[in-house]
């Protein structure tokens, strides 16, 4: 049914993002039209993060997982903690 198709498309979209080098996590937001991708800052530079967002969006659009544009947000952060 429709629910199964939506779940399958979401899983496929997450798999597309996770195949990219340096991607640690990926998930859908906004009803599946947007993806958030978290990368390992030791493996992905700021410049590469911008390129990665374009590459993931292009790959998702080519996979035709649903109508409309896809928005991809890449999160690259470094955290420092002191005792």
């Amino acid at each position: 049914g429709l629910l199964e198709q939506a779940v399958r498309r979401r899983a496929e979209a997450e798999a597309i993002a996770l195949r990219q080098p340096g991607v640690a996590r990926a998930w859908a937001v906004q009803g599946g039209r947007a993806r958030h991708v978290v990368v390992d800052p030791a493996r992905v530079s700021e410049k590469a993060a911008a390129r990665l967002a374009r590459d993931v969006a292009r790959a998702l659009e080519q996979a035709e997982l649903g109508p409309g544009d896809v928005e991809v947000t890449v999160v690259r952060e470094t955290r420092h903690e002191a005792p």
Side-chain angles (χ1 to χ4, degrees):
L2 292 176
L3 179 59
E4 291 83 10
Q5 288 176 352
V7 170
R8 181 186 51 78
R9 283 193 308 265
R10 181 177 178 173
E12 287 176 22
E14 289 174 2
I16 287 170
L18 290 169
R19 282 195 292 265
Q20 303 295 321
V23 173
R25 292 180 303 184
W27 65 94
V29 294
Q30 297 177 355
R33 296 311 320 149
R35 300 287 184 276
H36 285 191
V37 178
V38 177
V39 298
D40 178 356
R43 295 184 59 201
V44 179
S45 68
E46 286 292 324
K47 188 175 182 178
R51 188 171 49 249
L52 177 68
R54 288 190 304 273
D55 292 347
V56 170
R58 192 172 303 121
L60 291 170
E61 289 168 359
Q62 290 175 352
E64 297 178 4
L65 298 174
D69 293 332
V70 176
E71 177 183 315
V72 176
T73 301
V74 174
V75 178
R76 180 187 180 272
E77 68 178 1
T78 304
R79 295 184 185 197
H80 303 279
E81 295 181 17

